[in-house]
């Protein structure tokens, strides 16, 4: 699962990417410094993993990861191929969620592509380009569906009605994610088209250091503008995060954070939020060889969770031994959890809960 960082040129996308990933994207004060999408595999910060390490004392610890893609800055006309438009839109289509970076700080030394700071205008520029691309997709699809609908095909008529609803809303500047469909209609007629504006989005307000803790007037404008979008707004001082990233010493980092009133780097919050945005959750395996965080979709069953480790585990799934994370910590070891009767045996229909410590029995 990938989350793509998008925004206009010079809003702080590549600097943010550098903070999140060890892969250094080129960061420069001019548009299009990121030509190829840079992909970083980022560890998901999780204090539960540290606690399990403390209790189990394993040989190694492996955190969950999320892929972050830094995508070239978009400009007006991208939907018609302006700038790096076609490439941008192809790259964003391959991601599963969007981290939309908005410039919410004043700095005369950093050029704004439109000459002034206005996060709402910037948001609308990108929204419009993505909506225009989706409009192109829906119109092509409608051409095919209309022919089948005219023959009296009931399924085609139903699809035509849904596509027309999408088209009308896109023309009115409403993204697909803001529309309501029945679950059945969504799965059958909307999801397969992979509309870009259907992807879940988080708005990242890039502020200066003084606003890192409280936000500013620009951030309030963004919150007001997106209140009906069911989207998260995260405040991040990207330049400050870059400074924190330069510090190798953990104590120095903590002192820096304390000075600006933060309890952890904003980038850690962003990674966890991106993980959630992608509809992901974590279960753990805990043994002396390895304590590991595994990623599964919210709603995954026991066999599906086992399949993340190995497809054979899913095929030959018999049962799962499950300990709630809180119970593991309360009793301090697997043996003591068993003694207390708190280990559960779950079958094929079990829905995995975030934080479950699991052990699978299988037969292939």
């Amino acid at each position: 699962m990938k989350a793509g960082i998008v925004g206009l040129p010079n809003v702080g996308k590549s600097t943010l990417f550098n903070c999140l990933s060890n892969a250094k994207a080129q960061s420069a004060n001019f548009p299009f410094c990121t030509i190829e999408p840079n992909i970083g595999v980022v560890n998901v910060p999780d204090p539960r993993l540290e606690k399990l390490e403390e209790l189990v004392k394993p040989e190694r610890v492996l955190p969950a990861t999320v892929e972050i893609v830094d995508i070239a800055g978009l400009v007006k006309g991208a939907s018609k191929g302006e700038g790096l438009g076609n490439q941008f839109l192809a790259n964003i289509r391959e991601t599963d969620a969007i981290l939309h970076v908005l410039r919410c700080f004043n700095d005369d030394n950093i050029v704004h592509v439109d000459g002034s700071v206005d996060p709402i205008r910037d948001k609308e520029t990108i929204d419009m380009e993505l909506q225009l691309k989706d409009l192109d997709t829906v119109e092509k699809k409608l051409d095919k569906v209309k022919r089948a609908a005219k023959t009296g095909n009931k399924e085609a008529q139903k699809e035509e009605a849904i596509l027309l609803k999408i088209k009308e809303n896109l023309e009115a500047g409403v993204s697909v994610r803001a529309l309501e469909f029945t679950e059945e209609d969504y799965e059958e007629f909307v999801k397969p088209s992979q509309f870009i504006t259907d992807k879940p989005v988080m708005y990242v307000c890039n502020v200066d250091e003084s606003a890192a803790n409280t936000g500013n007037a620009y951030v309030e404008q963004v919150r007001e503008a997106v209140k009906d979008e069911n989207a998260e707004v995260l405040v991040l001082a990207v330049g400050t995060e870059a400074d924190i990233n330069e510090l190798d010493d953990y104590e120095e980092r903590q002192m820096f954070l304390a000075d600006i009133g933060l309890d952890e780097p904003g980038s850690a919050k962003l990674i966890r939020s991106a993980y959630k945005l992608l509809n992901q959750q974590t279960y753990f395996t805990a043994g002396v060889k390895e304590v590991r965080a595994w990623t599964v979709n919210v709603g995954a069953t026991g066999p599906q969770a086992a399949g993340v480790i190995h497809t054979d585990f899913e095929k030959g799934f018999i049962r799962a031994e499950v300990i709630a994370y809180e119970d593991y910590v309360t009793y301090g070891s697997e043996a003591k959890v068993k003694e207390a009767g708190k280990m559960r045996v779950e079958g094929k229909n079990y829905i995995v809960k975030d934080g479950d410590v699991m052990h699978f029995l299988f037969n292939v």
Side-chain angles (χ1 to χ4, degrees):
M1 300 290 277
K2 294 179 193 169
I5 302 176
V6 306
L8 291 178
N10 286 359
V11 295
K13 297 185 316 305
S14 295
T15 308
L16 174 61
F17 177 82
N18 290 343
C19 293
L20 298 177
S21 165
N22 294 326
K24 296 289 183 191
Q26 182 189 3
S27 178
N29 182 20
F30 57 89
F32 309 132
C33 64
T34 312
I35 306 289
E36 289 300 317
N38 290 270
I39 299 179
V41 178
V42 183
N43 292 339
V44 179
D46 193 332
R48 297 174 301 182
L49 199 60
E50 292 161 29
K51 187 66 186 171
L52 288 171
E53 179 183 11
E54 194 184 299
L55 294 171
V56 180
K57 298 179 176 54
E59 289 173 23
R60 64 175 186 165
V61 178
L62 290 169
T65 60
V66 61
E67 271 191 29
I68 305 286
V69 186
D70 180 23
I71 296 169
L74 178 126
V75 293
K76 278 178 190 158
S79 56
K80 296 180 175 65
E82 292 292 323
L84 297 162
N86 293 331
Q87 195 174 340
F88 171 98
L89 292 159
N91 293 336
I92 197 173
R93 198 180 284 287
E94 288 168 16
T95 65
D96 303 287
I98 295 170
L99 308 177
H100 186 159
V101 183
L102 295 166
R103 177 170 167 177
C104 294
F105 66 90
N106 296 310
D107 185 340
D108 294 339
N109 296 318
I110 299 177
V111 180
H112 189 289
V113 74
D114 286 328
S116 63
V117 177
D118 183 345
I120 307 306
R121 178 200 59 212
D122 295 355
K123 172 193 174 308
E124 287 169 355
T125 297
I126 289 207
D127 282 353
M128 188 186 292
E129 293 304 325
L130 301 185
Q131 286 161 1
L132 285 168
K133 193 66 186 172
D134 278 351
L135 200 52
D136 186 43
T137 302
V138 83
E139 282 169 350
K140 283 176 182 163
K141 194 130 195 189
L142 264 170
D143 283 345
K144 291 178 187 169
V145 172
K146 274 179 175 171
R147 286 196 288 274
K150 278 178 185 165
T151 66
N153 182 312
K154 291 275 185 272
E155 280 292 288
Q157 287 170 350
K158 195 173 181 184
E159 185 172 7
E160 183 184 21
I162 287 165
L163 292 174
L164 283 169
K165 173 182 171 177
I166 292 170
K167 181 175 183 283
E168 284 160 17
N169 278 280
L170 286 168
E171 285 171 343
V174 179
S175 293
V176 178
R177 78 177 74 85
L179 306 180
E180 287 187 9
F181 304 96
T182 66
E183 194 177 330
E184 192 184 323
D185 286 350
Y186 178 79
E187 289 295 325
E188 193 171 348
F189 303 120
V190 183
K191 194 178 177 183
S193 294
Q194 292 184 294
F195 292 112
I196 297 172
T197 66
D198 189 32
K199 295 178 190 296
V201 66
M202 175 164 60
Y203 294 99
V204 181
C205 293
N206 183 11
V207 298
D208 55 25
E209 189 176 307
S210 64
N213 211 358
T214 54
N216 57 24
Y218 289 132
V219 174
E220 291 313 309
Q221 287 172 20
V222 173
R223 286 201 172 111
E224 179 60 26
V226 308
K227 67 178 191 292
D228 298 328
E229 279 193 40
N230 191 26
E232 189 175 347
V233 175
L234 196 82
V235 178
L236 205 65
V238 175
T240 306
E241 293 290 323
D243 292 340
I244 294 169
N245 227 29
E246 293 300 313
L247 300 172
D248 293 324
D249 184 67
Y250 176 77
E251 297 301 325
E252 276 185 43
R253 283 186 180 207
Q254 294 309 107
M255 282 167 64
F256 192 135
L257 287 165
D259 283 347
I260 57 172
L262 296 176
D263 53 1
E264 67 173 347
S267 53
K269 285 190 186 123
L270 175 63
I271 295 162
R272 283 200 299 273
S273 297
Y275 193 66
K276 200 169 149 192
L277 193 68
L278 290 162
N279 200 36
Q280 305 284 277
Q281 64 178 3
T282 301
Y283 77 84
F284 301 100
T285 50
V288 288
K289 285 273 183 208
E290 174 183 281
V291 165
R292 183 163 181 168
W294 299 88
T295 301
V296 287
N297 285 333
V298 172
T301 61
Q304 286 168 334
V308 173
I309 298 176
H310 199 289
T311 49
D312 284 351
F313 284 28
E314 183 171 2
K315 283 179 200 158
F317 181 93
I318 300 169
R319 63 182 182 275
E321 295 173 346
V322 184
I323 302 170
Y325 168 77
E326 288 75 14
D327 288 338
Y328 205 111
V329 172
T330 302
Y331 294 98
S333 73
E334 188 178 311
K336 286 180 180 165
V337 170
K338 278 182 180 171
E339 271 175 41
K342 292 286 185 181
M343 178 186 275
R344 306 188 315 276
V345 175
E346 301 287 0
K348 291 184 177 180
N349 296 325
Y350 176 66
I351 303 298
V352 177
K353 293 180 181 65
D354 187 55
D356 279 348
V357 182
M358 304 183 80
H359 175 67
F360 300 104
L361 286 90
F362 68 100
N363 182 24
V364 176

